[in-house]
Amino acid sequence: MAMASMMKVVLGSIAFGFFWVLAVFPAVPFLPIGRTAGALLGAMLMVVFRVISPYEANEAIDLDILGLLFGTMVVSVYLERADMFKYLGKLLTWKSRGGKDLLFRVCLVSAISSALFTNDTCCILLTEFILKIARQNNLPPQPFLLALASSSNIGSAATPIGNPQNLVIAVQSKISFEKFLFGILPSMLLGVLVNGAILLCYFWKLLSIERDQEVEAEAGDLVVENEVINSHQSPHASSVNSRDFMNANSLPNSVAKDPPNENWKRFLWKICVYLVTIGMLVALFLGFNMSCTAVTAALALVVLDFKDARPCLEKVSYTLLVFFCGMFIAVHGFNKTGIPSTLWEAVERYSRIDSTGGIALLSVVILLLSNVASNVPTVLLLGSRVAASAASISATEEARAWLILAWVSTVAGNLSLLGSAANLIVCEQARRAQFYSYNLSFWSHLKFGVPSTIIVNAIGLPFIRSY
């Protein structure tokens, strides 16, 4: 694509600059309006500056991605109401054999649950539970918090519904859920194991401390705050509002015991929620339209609940949907300036995926851009270009290029504390925990994040295949 006129290039760069600054630094002193408003501002400037027309701005909004995102958020709300994440928390404590065993459990449980229920949701609902387990066992919280955040990011790479950038890739590439899963699953599983091994090497001595108390089998009164993060919060982080997970045995009998009919109704309702969720995953696996499947599952849960759906629908992060609309327009306008195409043409010949050196260079470009511009804009800027370059080799290589983009842009979130919303959620949830707060600092995360990101990316790349 040729460069646009100098006026469009300058004005488009200014508009995109507003979007980028406010997306990466939502509380900048000169304009502390947040990410969502920043995305809308960037989109509006693209139209006002006539970089794109109102019609082009409307066409830039991808309704399939918005539908898929909305549907998965609603399903997550109902799963949270059905105590799915409480049961996942209990799985961590079942017959635990010490700190090292517990660390690997956190890695595996957070990775698998993130692949199915999104990484941000899992971090919101598991952080305080993990802090409580660490306190009960006289173990340092830092390795377990790092395990939760990093493994959630790695695990979310395996499916189209694991994180927002994968949603974009799945819709744009038209890669089926099955091919996406099997293309990245080996890298994901190996990456989680390697990440856990790195954590063990870092914290071996601390995890060897004898426990003062046994791990409790019950997940007791875990209270998760509704407010997750302040200035650094991603809109996606609020897709599921937390509620109290209370141990019914700790309440007075008059409160804890529900009528038998109510207990049966709730039990059957939970079963229906899990069956609908399983049905959604099976439909995605069979190749049904992902957006329609997710929205259908969400509506099925609304009907099965048989009550006013407003309280549940209010928990959906509509700010995230608005953010995506603004981001689609801002990125499309920036693409129209010709700058991304010109920059890509300069490195395209050296970053083709038919050579080891090309894959390495492409991975470095994705990793750096994901940490500078965030992973979703990176996918929107590079996706079609990387795919077109690989398509000149073969259709199989085109699909593999999309999967490499999904893998690297997701694992890149582990590089620093600001690399992904999941990291920030764990940090803020831990800092605000009522019973046992802990401050996960930027530098303590960076010392682990840099080697982990580089090693996990390098080890996982050779195992990414397209089918």
Side-chain angles (χ1 to χ4, degrees):
M1 179 180 178
M3 289 284 287
S5 65
M6 182 58 65
M7 182 63 70
K8 275 194 175 183
V9 170
V10 173
L11 294 178
S13 299
I14 292 173
F16 187 77
F18 273 100
F19 161 74
W20 180 82
V21 170
L22 293 172
V24 179
F25 309 104
V28 289
F30 69 88
L31 197 62
I33 61 175
R35 285 191 173 95
T36 301
L40 289 177
L41 177 61
M44 182 270 293
L45 290 176
M46 287 292 181
V47 176
V48 171
F49 292 160
R50 298 188 177 182
V51 179
I52 57 176
S53 67
Y55 176 79
E56 289 176 313
N58 182 63
E59 289 295 306
I61 298 174
D62 196 318
L63 295 180
D64 280 340
I65 294 175
L66 296 181
L68 180 56
L69 195 55
F70 172 79
T72 54
M73 285 192 290
V74 173
V75 172
S76 294
V77 170
Y78 280 95
L79 283 172
E80 186 263 340
R81 278 188 55 201
D83 296 335
M84 168 64 76
F85 297 95
K86 176 181 177 180
Y87 300 141
L88 288 176
K90 287 184 177 181
L91 184 62
L92 293 175
T93 63
W94 184 64
K95 295 185 179 180
S96 175
R97 299 181 179 179
K100 303 179 186 69
D101 173 47
L102 185 60
L103 184 72
F104 262 104
R105 289 192 187 200
V106 171
C107 290
L108 291 174
V109 168
S110 58
I112 294 172
S113 58
S114 294
L116 300 176
F117 312 119
T118 76
N119 54 353
D120 294 352
T121 298
C122 295
C123 289
I124 289 171
L125 296 172
L126 292 178
T127 299
E128 288 203 26
F129 190 91
I130 287 173
L131 277 173
K132 182 178 180 181
I133 294 175
R135 184 181 185 184
Q136 288 173 340
N137 290 272
N138 194 31
L139 292 168
Q142 183 182 358
F144 300 100
L145 295 176
L146 289 173
L148 173 62
S150 58
S151 298
S152 293
N153 285 328
I154 296 171
S156 71
T159 65
I161 60 175
N163 55 60
Q165 63 268 22
N166 280 12
L167 295 177
V168 175
I169 289 172
V171 171
Q172 290 191 347
S173 67
K174 295 181 173 55
I175 298 175
S176 68
F177 188 95
E178 175 190 5
K179 291 181 178 179
F180 200 109
L181 174 64
F182 288 124
I184 295 185
L185 184 61
S187 298
M188 185 273 273
L189 294 175
L190 183 60
V192 171
L193 293 176
V194 170
N195 188 62
I198 295 172
L199 283 165
L200 277 180
C201 292
Y202 265 74
F203 300 104
W204 183 270
K205 291 183 179 179
L206 288 174
L207 294 173
S208 299
I209 298 175
E210 291 293 329
R211 297 181 298 173
D212 287 346
Q213 300 176 356
E214 291 294 323
V215 178
E216 293 181 3
E218 270 314 303
D221 48 342
L222 173 60
V223 180
V224 182
E225 302 176 14
N226 290 330
E227 188 73 26
V228 180
I229 46 181
N230 44 33
S231 61
H232 290 301
Q233 182 181 11
S234 163
H236 187 48
S238 59
S239 60
V240 180
N241 287 332
S242 305
R243 67 179 180 86
D244 294 345
F245 290 121
M246 301 297 295
N247 183 355
N249 293 328
S250 66
L251 300 176
N253 291 336
S254 60
V255 178
K257 292 184 178 180
D258 292 326
N261 288 341
E262 291 299 319
N263 287 335
W264 272 106
K265 286 181 181 178
R266 177 160 177 77
F267 175 75
L268 290 175
W269 177 79
K270 284 185 179 182
I271 295 297
C272 289
V273 172
Y274 299 147
L275 288 176
V276 169
T277 304
I278 293 172
M280 181 188 76
L281 295 174
V282 170
L284 292 173
F285 192 81
L286 292 176
F288 285 74
N289 181 279
M290 286 187 282
S291 179
C292 291
T293 299
V295 172
T296 301
L299 292 176
L301 292 176
V302 168
V303 173
L304 287 171
D305 198 27
F306 206 67
K307 62 179 66 171
D308 188 357
R310 184 173 58 182
C312 287
L313 294 179
E314 285 176 348
K315 294 182 178 182
V316 172
S317 177
Y318 296 101
T319 55
L320 174 62
L321 301 178
V322 175
F323 173 81
F324 262 69
C325 291
M327 179 177 61
F328 286 142
I329 297 172
V331 172
H332 180 68
F334 190 58
N335 280 330
K336 292 285 284 187
T337 65
I339 294 176
S341 295
T342 302
L343 294 176
W344 173 249
E345 288 170 3
V347 299
E348 190 268 339
R349 71 179 73 176
Y350 307 109
S351 56
R352 295 169 66 85
I353 65 170
D354 56 352
S355 67
T356 303
I359 293 176
L361 178 59
L362 177 62
S363 299
V364 171
V365 170
I366 297 171
L367 192 151
L368 294 177
L369 194 57
S370 295
N371 278 274
V372 172
S374 188
N375 39 30
V376 179
T378 295
V379 166
L380 289 171
L381 288 169
L382 288 183
S384 59
R385 295 173 177 84
V386 172
S389 175
S392 64
I393 303 171
S394 69
T396 302
E397 290 297 280
E398 179 184 2
R400 182 165 169 249
W402 281 111
L403 296 179
I404 289 175
L405 179 61
W407 171 252
V408 179
S409 64
T410 300
V411 177
N414 285 337
L415 188 71
S416 73
L417 194 60
L418 302 177
S420 76
N423 298 343
L424 294 169
I425 290 169
V426 170
C427 178
E428 286 299 311
Q429 287 281 77
R431 186 175 64 83
R432 296 183 179 191
Q434 294 180 355
F435 60 91
Y436 186 34
S437 63
Y438 180 82
N439 183 31
L440 183 63
S441 70
F442 178 87
W443 293 110
S444 63
H445 183 283
L446 191 69
K447 287 190 293 185
F448 160 76
V450 171
S452 172
T453 301
I454 294 173
I455 294 172
V456 170
N457 251 320
I459 290 178
L461 279 171
F463 294 91
I464 292 178
R465 293 285 186 269
S466 57
Y467 297 94

